[in-house]
Amino acid sequence: MRGPLGAVIGSYTSSDGVTQMGGGIIKHNRKCRDITALVIFIAFWIAMIVNSSFGFNQGNPLRLTYGLDYKGNVCGDKHAHPGLGELELRYWQNPNQVYQTGLKDSQFKLVDARSICLLDCPIPSDDSLEWVCDYPEGDIRLSMEDWINRNYNYYEFLTPEMRNSSLQLQGPCYPVIFPSVNVYWSCQFIARASNTSLKHWEQMGGVSINEDIVIDKSIHKSINSRSAVLKRYMADIGKAWPVLIVCGGILPVFLSVIWLMMIRHFVAAMPWITVVLFNLLIISVTMFFYIKAGWIGNDAISPIIGEHDPYINVFGRELTHLRAVTVLMTAISVVAILTSIAIVAAKVIGEVQALIIFPLIPYATLAVFYMFWTSAALHLFSSGQIVQNNCNSNCCTYDLVAKRVNCDRCCGYSIHYTPHIGISILFHLFGCYWATQFFVASSSTVVAGSVASYYWAHGETSPEIPFLSVFSSMKRFMRYSIGSVALGSMIVSFVESIRFLLESLRRRLKVSSHVHDSWIGKAAYQSSQCFLRCIEWTIKSVNRNAYIMIAITGKSFFSASSIATDLIMNNILKIGRLNVIGDVILFLGKLCVSLSSSVFAFLMLDTHKYSSGHNKTSSPLFPVVVCWALGYTVATLFFAVVEMSIDTIVLSFCQDSEEHQGTAQYAPPLLIETLGNQNEMHRLTQGSQ
């Protein structure tokens, strides 16, 4: 059983023997805590910098969007040889190789089929045979610009040997037999061969070309593989960075400040305003998902880029994901939450005006971190070495430089990912979560320290409270408590990471197993999930109250957690009736800010810039989700002003009551009335009638 904290809270004896009261205890008898955790946190930041440096050195975000050509160059890379700055589309030149990759018994893979980077997808001619030739080199005296202007065709310049090789589908020129369409910067063949082109090809003595639907499905399967979709999602973040800045950074700050000002002046009306806004916004977001999923209107997302035949229909995995999220949003939007609020802390915000401005400091820090982290993430996801595959298939091609058919090194190129790259990505994701938790916890601790100064000075402006107590609290945090906050945020991050890894492991085991789960296995899984979620919720709740006691007492993390837990258990009814209602409405407020960010993200992504052309995103899903997450994080930083004010004052009131035999000596009159009188509590939570 812990002893009284009279020496720490409420009063203390100075060195001259004079007992002092009030806010002075906030800065009394402190020393640095949890040094080990601080050292680990510093080492973590060093590791993050080293890990990110590896990504910047090895990665190339262009790989997330564009494919590789027959030389191993990334399409669209202006630094490649030859320069491919405008040539962003990957086109497979040999139709028979594409056909072969689609056969079940074939060992030949599409990644080994000969591909080239073009400005647009070739289409067959109505009166002649079109060709797509290799990049001009050797005896072909054409510049890249002339080659592009000639529609990649220099067949008329070929020697008889080269022409014979081309008729055998060994290059350097290949016939355009099938129409193709730009699907996510790869030319998707349409299994509808041009009769005119085939006739010319046969008259010239070309080898037989397969016309089966397999040629369509092979490319489609490659474009819609899980790894390709994941790369496109990551690329969407890079393309939509202006949307993330506006809707994930600037807009949430603006809305959060407005919400804090409204809650200061319209306490009674805010529950109803928040609930109405929440319902309108979640319905709006759900409707946008319905529109983009194609279930309302004719504005569904399409994997085809640019103008194309309206009768051509190509289905992308992104649309499946979007429809799944639409169903989920429908289920969420039908839940109506009607509640009320009790915010005693509104008076504190009025007394400590800097509280509204303070979140801009951790927000600016977090914004800089997110920009650095996102850039590093794009490079890490695109890191790896481009190496030529080791295939055993017969894929001879004409070498313009060697002036002969070469069968030794004709395999395609691919990006080789090593296991340590996967570990680097996982560490990078963990680092983002830990850093976010740390910045939010730091902001909460500083706010708690400022509010505690207000409470222990009898809720009045006192000489014992330094000017701009928020910055005084921030100074105490930086000097004494940063290690404790690092420890608390690390614990939450580890618990979340373990739960994520266990879920990933379960899914892998389920996919690899052919045995259906028994009801016992399903019950065990659901129980374990519930148990882990309970642990996660408990740790987050304990952490939040521990940060308050760290700000008040200057204790270490575990000592502060113990004190906070004892106070909560001894005053569960007082805390419960105020905090539960307040937390619900604050949660709805965060959702309002984040959903507003999602609505504006949808509107920005629906413009021509992101729906077609060079910056087209594969799907609005991932950028919208990221904007929602950023908006929620920013709102959490700002709403911590109210959230931590409530919790700090309630815990201070409980401790004050314990120290003075059930009568709080330092509580403001409004707080005593609220927590001491049930009718007054009802009046505050429901608003004036």
Side-chain angles (χ1 to χ4, degrees):
M1 187 74 180
R2 66 178 176 85
L5 296 177
V8 179
I9 296 181
S11 64
Y12 72 95
T13 303
S14 64
S15 58
D16 58 2
V18 179
T19 299
Q20 300 188 24
M21 307 291 290
I25 52 88
I26 298 297
K27 57 182 180 180
H28 176 66
N29 194 30
R30 290 178 181 262
K31 63 180 181 179
C32 295
R33 307 285 186 179
D34 298 311
I35 302 297
T36 303
L38 180 59
V39 172
I40 294 174
F41 190 61
I42 293 173
F44 153 75
W45 275 104
I46 295 174
M48 279 286 288
I49 293 173
V50 172
N51 191 54
S52 299
S53 299
F54 166 78
F56 285 119
N57 184 49
Q58 297 291 329
N60 180 2
L62 288 177
R63 300 173 186 171
L64 299 174
T65 301
Y66 309 116
L68 305 176
D69 66 5
Y70 65 90
K71 287 179 172 288
N73 298 319
V74 180
C75 294
D77 187 359
K78 62 182 179 181
H79 301 295
H81 181 74
L84 306 174
E86 297 180 352
L87 308 178
E88 300 175 342
L89 306 187
R90 176 177 52 179
Y91 174 74
W92 285 274
Q93 296 170 278
N94 191 332
N96 275 358
Q97 284 186 340
V98 176
Y99 175 84
Q100 188 179 354
T101 62
L103 300 177
K104 293 183 178 180
D105 300 330
S106 175
Q107 299 298 319
F108 193 71
K109 299 179 181 179
L110 187 63
V111 70
D112 292 320
R114 192 171 183 82
S115 60
I116 193 171
C117 300
L118 304 179
L119 187 63
D120 46 22
C121 292
I123 56 175
S125 174
D126 292 333
D127 54 8
S128 63
L129 180 62
E130 294 292 331
W131 299 83
V132 169
C133 301
D134 291 344
Y135 303 131
E137 55 185 349
D139 290 338
I140 306 301
R141 308 297 182 181
L142 287 177
S143 66
M144 287 291 291
E145 184 177 355
D146 291 335
W147 174 70
I148 295 172
N149 291 335
R150 295 178 60 88
N151 291 326
Y152 329 109
N153 184 358
Y154 50 73
Y155 182 80
E156 61 185 270
F157 300 146
L158 299 184
T159 64
E161 180 187 3
M162 293 179 183
R163 293 192 179 189
N164 182 62
S165 174
S166 297
L167 292 173
Q168 300 299 315
L169 290 178
Q170 293 181 344
C173 294
Y174 298 83
V176 180
I177 304 297
F178 297 91
S180 57
V181 63
N182 180 358
V183 177
Y184 296 137
W185 293 275
S186 290
C187 293
Q188 165 79 63
F189 283 170
I190 306 300
R192 192 172 62 219
S194 167
N195 293 329
T196 302
S197 297
L198 268 178
K199 181 180 178 180
H200 283 287
W201 173 255
E202 292 170 354
Q203 289 175 348
M204 296 174 69
V207 298
S208 176
I209 290 181
N210 298 293
E211 304 176 49
D212 198 282
I213 191 71
V214 170
I215 200 171
D216 186 341
K217 293 183 177 179
S218 178
I219 297 178
H220 184 265
K221 182 179 179 181
S222 174
I223 293 175
N224 281 284
S225 66
R226 292 182 178 178
S227 60
V229 173
L230 177 59
K231 289 179 181 179
R232 288 199 293 270
Y233 278 151
M234 291 302 301
D236 288 344
I237 299 301
K239 296 175 185 176
W241 64 265
V243 178
L244 302 186
I245 291 177
V246 173
C247 300
I250 299 175
L251 183 63
V253 173
F254 177 72
L255 295 176
S256 297
V257 171
I258 290 180
W259 199 89
L260 288 178
M261 298 300 295
M262 290 181 66
I263 208 169
R264 173 68 183 91
H265 297 286
F266 306 104
V267 176
M270 280 307 292
W272 311 113
I273 295 175
T274 304
V275 169
V276 171
L277 281 176
F278 169 74
N279 289 328
L280 290 176
L281 288 169
I282 199 169
I283 291 173
S284 299
V285 172
T286 303
M287 289 300 102
F288 272 116
F289 274 112
Y290 268 92
I291 292 172
K292 291 303 176 182
W295 289 340
I296 294 180
N298 299 309
D299 196 24
I301 63 171
S302 171
I304 301 178
I305 301 171
E307 297 181 359
H308 61 279
D309 188 335
Y311 295 102
I312 296 177
N313 182 28
V314 179
F315 191 84
R317 190 186 290 264
E318 284 86 349
L319 187 59
T320 302
H321 295 167
L322 199 61
R323 288 177 174 175
V325 174
T326 303
V327 173
L328 177 63
M329 288 299 299
T330 302
I332 294 175
S333 63
V334 298
V335 179
I337 303 175
L338 300 175
T339 187
S340 56
I341 188 172
I343 300 183
V344 178
K347 186 174 186 296
V348 178
I349 298 176
E351 296 290 345
V352 190
Q353 298 286 353
L355 279 176
I356 298 179
I357 304 174
F358 165 73
L360 290 174
I361 297 176
Y363 163 76
T365 306
L366 198 58
V368 172
F369 168 77
Y370 277 155
M371 286 188 286
F372 167 80
W373 184 90
T374 302
S375 179
L378 291 174
H379 283 81
L380 277 173
F381 271 90
S382 61
S383 59
Q385 293 183 336
I386 296 178
V387 295
Q388 190 168 34
N389 300 329
N390 184 20
C391 63
N392 299 319
S393 301
N394 181 17
C395 54
C396 301
T397 58
Y398 192 92
D399 190 331
L400 285 171
V401 176
K403 300 180 182 180
R404 63 182 178 86
V405 175
N406 189 343
C407 299
D408 296 332
R409 296 184 59 81
C410 59
C411 297
Y413 289 80
S414 61
I415 301 174
H416 178 64
Y417 297 97
T418 56
H420 78 273
I421 294 178
I423 296 174
S424 297
I425 293 174
L426 289 176
F427 177 77
H428 199 65
L429 294 173
F430 171 78
C432 179
Y433 191 77
W434 187 5
T436 301
Q437 290 293 324
F438 174 78
F439 286 124
V440 173
S442 300
S443 176
S444 300
T445 304
V446 172
V447 170
S450 179
V451 173
S453 298
Y454 164 85
Y455 178 92
W456 293 102
H458 291 282
E460 299 174 354
T461 303
S462 168
E464 294 180 8
I465 302 180
F467 178 70
L468 291 179
S469 62
V470 174
F471 297 100
S472 179
S473 176
M474 185 165 59
K475 181 180 178 181
R476 292 193 300 271
F477 160 74
M478 295 293 293
R479 185 174 180 181
Y480 302 112
S481 305
I482 191 171
S484 301
V485 172
L487 177 59
S489 58
M490 180 176 66
I491 292 173
V492 173
S493 301
F494 267 112
V495 171
E496 275 287 288
S497 300
I498 291 172
R499 191 168 71 85
F500 172 77
L501 291 175
L502 289 177
E503 174 64 15
S504 300
L505 180 62
R506 182 196 70 85
R507 291 189 177 186
R508 287 196 172 213
L509 291 175
K510 186 174 182 180
V511 170
S512 61
S513 175
H514 298 287
V515 181
H516 295 289
D517 292 342
S518 64
W519 68 269
I520 297 178
K522 292 181 179 179
Y525 165 70
Q526 294 296 337
S527 299
S528 63
Q529 283 291 97
C530 181
F531 178 70
L532 285 173
R533 288 186 181 276
C534 289
I535 291 178
E536 175 194 347
W537 180 85
T538 303
I539 289 177
K540 286 184 177 180
S541 178
V542 169
N543 276 14
R544 191 171 72 178
N545 293 298
Y547 298 145
I548 295 172
M549 300 314 296
I550 288 171
I552 295 175
T553 66
K555 296 285 186 179
S556 65
F557 175 78
F558 290 112
S559 297
S561 298
S562 176
I563 296 171
T565 302
D566 286 347
L567 284 176
I568 292 172
M569 296 305 295
N570 294 336
N571 301 272
I572 190 67
L573 293 179
K574 289 181 181 179
I575 294 176
R577 69 183 183 182
L578 182 67
N579 270 16
V580 171
I581 296 174
D583 287 348
V584 168
I585 202 65
L586 286 170
F587 175 69
L588 288 182
K590 296 174 189 177
L591 288 181
C592 285
V593 172
S594 57
L595 288 173
S596 298
S597 301
S598 300
V599 169
F600 279 90
F602 263 121
L603 293 174
M604 289 189 68
L605 291 169
D606 201 34
T607 59
H608 177 75
K609 179 179 180 180
Y610 300 107
S611 59
S612 63
H614 175 76
N615 286 320
K616 175 182 169 66
T617 55
S618 63
S619 168
L621 177 60
F622 209 59
V624 166
V625 170
V626 172
C627 285
W628 179 90
L630 290 175
Y632 189 87
T633 301
V634 172
T636 299
L637 283 174
F638 280 83
F639 287 16
V641 171
V642 176
E643 197 169 24
M644 295 303 290
S645 295
I646 295 174
D647 293 344
T648 302
I649 286 183
V650 171
L651 282 180
S652 297
F653 178 86
C654 295
Q655 181 61 44
D656 193 8
S657 299
E658 284 193 8
E659 291 292 325
H660 300 94
Q661 291 76 44
T663 303
Q665 298 294 318
Y666 292 89
L670 178 60
L671 184 64
I672 295 175
E673 293 176 5
T674 301
L675 293 180
N677 186 293
Q678 182 67 32
N679 293 331
E680 185 68 13
M681 176 68 184
H682 179 78
R683 182 185 68 80
L684 284 174
T685 58
Q686 298 298 325
S688 302
Q689 300 296 325

